[in-house]
């Protein structure tokens, strides 16, 4: 299955469910309380993050999609903190605020990246289900996917009315289910229970065959479009009527904190489907996203550059020959990760020791090296008839095989000035005996605050000399 990054900017998702505030008190601890055998934490930082359905909406917005959130809160400081955080991230919020009831808050006391204590402040909400349904119906025409983010806290009372309203408009409904009764999700396009939640409904599954057969029965009973069972370190299993099961292995390199991983899965699924991806590709993207988020502390959103880099790694395209469009995306990701981009250019017709040494020196000027090479027609114009010796695709393949080179791209003009204007590298490097003002494109790079560096070349190494020597024999 080939993965590509969806156009999340074309996606719009409505999330309805239980919003909550994840609050973190951070501090050091170096002693035990004299009052009881517990550590004393000196709190020096308080951090608020959207949780539950709010975290789903935040993840969708972080991917670049339009996120709309409907939920229930109190009339209190926690609700204001939630609304401010979400609006700042670009999430359109529609809260049903209930007086004299607290917004759900999960307070975690942290020290040295370890959770010492969690305190929950919550009461079941007395939601006005009909008013919430009307509000959702008014918003459905603005979106392409509806997500029911159900934590069993009382915001979702009328599941069937919401599913019916979306299906009448041809809008897929994705549900992250909770509780012992999955019949409330009847008719959903997809539900995403974890293995424990799934087995609570269908009974313990001794192996994958039993999981598949019981999942198929559940889909028939509830008229589900699909079922995705998330299985922790065993990955995910996607079941669809009349399709073979799709088993995806876990992608986490290191599991640090599983908090919010389910939110990441359904948000990536929803945004990907809303962007036009088929379900298997959307599930594969969600699997990659989950592998990223469990390496972070607490509820956390992943960004488009993070997911794109994971896709590139998965497809083996993190390095190598790129088109201009791919290069611009790669450099955007590199900058998002704080990497310094170096650019050099040339014909590189016959690669020799001088080239290799020069490219290693160029790579040492930053974190990522772009090598832009003249295409065949421009080499002929610059070097004369009979050149290049090697066609552009072969020259690019050889350069891409060097450890010092990250990305190779070709250009058709005699100079790389157009490329420089679009890529805007941090450092422009040229080899030879030049002044900086003599380097082609130096004025472009210096104008936007970049650097230009001239490196020496290895003596007695010249492609032209090599060609002349071969021809003289």
């Amino acid at each position: 299955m080939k993965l590509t990054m969806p156009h999340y900017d074309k996606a719009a998702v409505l999330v309805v469910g239980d919003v909550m505030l994840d609050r973190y008190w951070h501090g050091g601890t170096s002693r035990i309380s004299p009052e009881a055998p517990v550590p004393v934490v000196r709190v020096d930082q308080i951090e608020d993050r959207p949780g539950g359905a709010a975290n789903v909406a935040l993840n969708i917005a972080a991917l670049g999609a339009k996120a709309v959130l409907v939920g229930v809160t109190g009339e209190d400081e926690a609700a204001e903190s939630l609304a401010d955080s979400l609006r700042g991230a670009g999430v359109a919020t529609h809260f049903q605020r209930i007086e004299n009831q607290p917004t759900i808050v999960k307070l975690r006391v942290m020290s040295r990246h370890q959770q010492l204590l969690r305190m929950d402040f919550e009461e079941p909400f007395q939601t006005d289900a009909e008013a919430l349904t009307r509000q959702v119906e008014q918003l459905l025409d603005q979106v392409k996917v509806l997500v029911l983010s159900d934590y069993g806290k009382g915001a979702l009372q009328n599941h069937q009315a919401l599913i019916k309203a979306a299906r009448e408009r041809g809008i897929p409904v994705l549900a992250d289910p909770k509780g012992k009764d999955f019949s409330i999700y009847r008719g959903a396009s997809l539900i995403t229970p974890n293995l424990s939640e799934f087995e609570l409904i269908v009974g313990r599954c001794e192996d994958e065959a039993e999981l598949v057969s019981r999942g198929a029965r559940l889909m028939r009973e509830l008229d589900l479009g699909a079922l995705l069972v998330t299985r922790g370190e065993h990955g995910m299993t996607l079941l669809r009527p009349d399709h073979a099961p799709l088993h995806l292995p876990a992608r986490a390199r290191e599991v640090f904190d599983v908090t919010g991983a389910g939110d990441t899965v359904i948000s990536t699924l929803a945004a990907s489907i809303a962007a036009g991806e088929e379900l298997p590709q959307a599930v594969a993207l969600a699997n990659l996203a989950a592998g990223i988020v469990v390496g972070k502390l607490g509820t956390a959103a992943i960004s488009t550059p993070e997911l794109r880099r994971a896709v590139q790694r998965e497809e083996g395209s993190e390095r190598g020959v790129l088109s201009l469009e791919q290069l611009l995306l790669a450099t955007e990701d590199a900058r998002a990760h704080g990497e310094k981009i170096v650019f050099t250019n040339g014909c590189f017709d016959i690669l020799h020791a001088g080239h290799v040494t020069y490219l290693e020196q160029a790579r040492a000027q930053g974190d990522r090296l772009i090598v832009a090479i003249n295409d065949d027609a421009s080499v002929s114009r610059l070097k004369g008839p009979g050149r290049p010796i090697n066609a552009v695709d072969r020259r690019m393949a050889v350069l891409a095989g060097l450890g010092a080179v990250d990305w190779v791209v070709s250009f058709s003009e005699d100079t790389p000035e157009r490329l420089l204007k679009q890529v805007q590298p941090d450092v422009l490097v040229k080899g030879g005996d030049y002044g900086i003002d003599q380097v082609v494109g130096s004025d472009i790079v210096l104008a936007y605050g970049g650097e230009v560096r001239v490196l020496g070349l290895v003596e007695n190494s010249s492609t032209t000399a090599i060609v002349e020597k071969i021809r003289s024999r």
Side-chain angles (χ1 to χ4, degrees):
M1 182 192 312
K2 182 171 178 58
L3 287 182
T4 58
M5 277 296 290
H7 293 287
Y8 287 122
D9 58 339
K10 301 183 184 303
V13 180
L14 172 59
V15 180
V16 184
D18 297 299
V19 300
M20 56 193 76
L21 182 67
D22 286 325
R23 178 162 282 168
Y24 296 84
W25 288 358
H26 298 271
T29 179
S30 59
R31 63 191 180 95
I32 300 298
S33 170
E35 302 165 358
V38 294
V40 175
V41 178
R42 185 180 178 86
V43 177
D44 55 25
Q45 181 186 359
I46 297 175
E47 180 184 12
D48 287 351
R49 301 181 188 176
N55 186 44
V56 174
L58 185 67
N59 271 268
I60 290 167
L63 289 171
K66 177 184 177 182
V68 184
L69 174 64
V70 173
V72 184
T73 69
E75 281 279 9
D76 52 20
E77 171 272 334
E80 290 301 323
S81 178
L82 261 177
D84 289 345
S85 296
L86 291 165
R87 280 195 294 263
V91 178
T93 58
H94 301 268
F95 290 160
Q96 186 180 117
R97 299 200 178 202
I98 300 177
E99 291 187 50
N100 303 318
Q101 283 196 261
T103 299
I104 298 172
V105 176
K106 309 286 186 180
L107 172 60
R108 298 169 176 89
V109 180
M110 312 291 297
S111 184
R112 299 178 182 177
H113 303 297
Q114 297 295 320
Q115 185 177 149
L116 303 182
L117 176 68
R118 188 180 109 173
M119 294 176 282
D120 292 358
F121 302 85
E122 65 177 89
E123 296 175 13
F125 282 108
Q126 300 302 314
T127 306
D128 185 339
E130 291 185 3
L132 187 141
T133 300
R134 288 194 298 271
Q135 190 170 41
V136 169
E137 288 174 340
Q138 292 170 0
L139 295 168
L140 280 173
D141 291 336
Q142 304 175 22
V143 302
K144 297 180 179 179
V145 171
L146 170 65
V147 173
L148 303 182
S149 181
D150 194 353
Y151 280 78
K153 305 300 183 183
L156 288 170
Q157 301 276 337
N158 204 352
H159 301 72
Q160 283 299 295
L162 299 175
I163 293 171
K164 180 174 181 290
R167 291 191 63 166
E168 286 176 348
R169 294 164 174 80
I171 295 173
V173 182
L174 280 56
D176 188 2
K178 289 292 182 293
K180 299 179 181 180
D181 181 14
F182 278 13
S183 67
I184 57 178
Y185 308 108
R186 183 181 305 277
S189 308
L190 172 71
I191 64 172
T192 61
N194 62 36
L195 184 60
S196 297
E197 293 163 341
F198 176 72
E199 290 185 330
L200 186 64
I201 301 299
V202 303
R204 181 171 175 77
C205 300
E206 296 298 332
D207 52 32
E208 285 188 350
E210 197 165 16
L211 183 150
V212 169
S213 64
R214 293 187 179 186
R217 185 167 65 247
L218 184 65
M219 286 190 292
R220 288 193 300 271
E221 291 173 354
L222 299 183
D223 188 27
L224 300 175
L227 170 66
L228 178 66
V229 182
T230 57
R231 304 167 58 197
E233 69 273 17
H234 298 296
M236 301 178 178
T237 296
L238 174 65
L239 303 177
R240 294 171 292 166
D242 304 319
H243 288 80
L246 177 62
H247 301 290
L248 296 175
R251 293 300 186 192
R253 295 185 174 186
E254 181 179 1
V255 177
F256 192 68
D257 190 344
V258 298
T259 305
D263 296 341
T264 299
V265 169
I266 199 163
S267 59
T268 308
L269 276 171
S272 300
I273 292 169
E277 291 295 315
E278 295 296 327
L279 185 55
Q281 283 75 16
V283 169
L285 289 164
N287 193 36
L288 288 178
I292 297 169
V293 81
V294 296
K296 299 184 177 187
L297 178 63
T299 52
I302 69 162
S303 65
T304 300
E306 287 177 298
L307 183 57
R308 185 182 291 119
R309 180 161 289 191
V311 170
Q312 290 172 342
R313 190 182 299 118
E314 186 78 3
E315 295 298 312
S317 59
E318 193 177 17
R319 301 174 72 253
V321 176
L322 303 181
S323 67
L324 175 57
E325 182 181 10
Q326 291 170 326
L327 179 63
L328 293 175
L329 291 173
T331 55
E332 177 188 330
D333 293 344
R335 289 192 174 96
H337 287 81
E339 295 175 339
K340 193 174 191 178
I341 299 166
V342 183
F343 182 105
T344 192
N345 66 279
C347 298
F348 297 98
D349 193 2
I350 296 178
L351 203 65
H352 52 67
H355 288 140
V356 175
T357 301
Y358 166 71
L359 292 173
E360 289 173 347
Q361 292 173 347
R363 179 63 167 75
Q365 309 304 309
D367 303 297
R368 294 281 190 168
L369 176 61
I370 300 168
V371 180
I373 71 170
N374 298 77
D375 71 3
D376 294 345
S378 63
V379 173
S380 293
R381 290 194 300 270
L382 293 170
K383 301 293 185 180
R387 299 286 298 274
I389 302 298
N390 290 300
V392 65
D393 57 339
R394 295 188 177 186
R395 289 183 282 133
M396 295 175 80
V398 172
L399 284 166
L402 297 179
V405 177
D406 291 285
W407 303 307
V408 185
V409 66
S410 67
F411 59 96
S412 58
E413 301 86 357
D414 291 346
T415 74
E417 291 178 320
R418 179 179 61 87
L419 264 180
L420 288 169
K421 290 176 181 177
Q422 293 178 285
V423 177
Q424 295 196 355
D426 300 294
V427 185
L428 171 61
V429 174
K430 193 66 178 174
D433 185 17
Y434 298 98
I436 287 178
D437 59 342
Q438 296 175 298
V439 176
V440 173
S442 61
D443 55 333
I444 297 169
V445 175
L446 293 172
Y448 62 73
E451 300 177 67
V452 180
R453 299 176 186 172
V454 177
L455 306 179
L457 292 176
V458 176
E459 294 183 5
N460 301 319
S461 294
S462 163
T463 299
T464 300
I466 292 171
V467 171
E468 292 302 323
K469 185 175 182 180
I470 293 172
R471 284 175 173 170
S472 65
R473 290 184 173 179

